[in-house]
Amino acid sequence: MTCGLPTFATAYGGPAEIIVHGVSGYHIDPYQGDKASALLVDFFDKCQADPSHWSKISQGGLQRIEEKYTWKLYSERLMTLTGVYGFWKYVSNLERRETRRYLEMLYALKYRTMASTVPLAVEGEPSSK
């Protein structure tokens, strides 16, 4: 992807987050060879019909790398995590009651709405409480 080649990668693990299917590359299911080969054939057919299709996917991959995965962005995230770790190290030295209050406040302000958007493991079934 960084070299500007259209990328086909597994739909599982890291590539599932990195690649936007059909924009910056393609997800393939390694357990479904027929679908994977059909996807490849379809891609090359589109490239033959429209030579700019290859460039479009290549540019989408390069743009995705530039937006999300540069060393500058990585180092900024790492520094943020370092700061969070330092803070948690400080918080862990607080009394248990203070730590619990902090965690409850953090959950209520930051993570409650995020947690409510997480889909259930099996659609249509209520979560077990």
Side-chain angles (χ1 to χ4, degrees):
M1 218 167 145
T2 302
C3 296
L5 293 174
T7 304
F8 294 81
T10 180
Y12 305 107
E17 295 177 19
I18 297 168
I19 295 171
V20 178
H21 186 78
V23 176
S24 61
Y26 295 92
H27 299 135
I28 59 171
D29 187 339
Y31 301 109
Q32 296 185 7
D34 291 343
K35 287 184 180 179
S37 62
L39 183 64
L40 286 164
V41 168
D42 182 57
F43 172 75
F44 287 116
D45 285 345
K46 285 181 181 177
C47 289
Q48 190 172 20
D50 177 14
S52 68
H53 185 66
W54 179 288
S55 296
K56 183 181 113 186
I57 299 299
S58 294
Q59 289 303 313
L62 291 170
Q63 183 178 351
R64 180 76 174 163
I65 295 293
E66 190 63 32
E67 289 173 352
K68 299 282 186 179
Y69 300 102
T70 64
W71 282 111
K72 183 180 185 301
L73 292 171
Y74 175 77
S75 64
E76 289 171 355
R77 287 186 201 124
L78 189 60
M79 293 304 290
T80 300
L81 287 173
T82 302
V84 170
Y85 173 75
F87 180 74
W88 276 105
K89 191 173 178 184
Y90 167 76
V91 169
S92 66
N93 289 330
L94 296 175
E95 295 293 325
R96 184 165 176 78
R97 187 170 159 195
E98 291 170 312
T99 303
R100 184 167 176 83
R101 283 184 183 163
Y102 172 78
L103 290 174
E104 288 171 352
M105 180 188 69
L106 182 66
Y107 174 77
L109 294 174
K110 179 74 177 166
Y111 294 108
R112 180 180 292 156
T113 55
M114 289 173 61
S116 67
T117 64
V118 174
L120 298 174
V122 177
E123 290 295 324
E125 290 186 14
S127 62
S128 58
K129 294 184 180 179

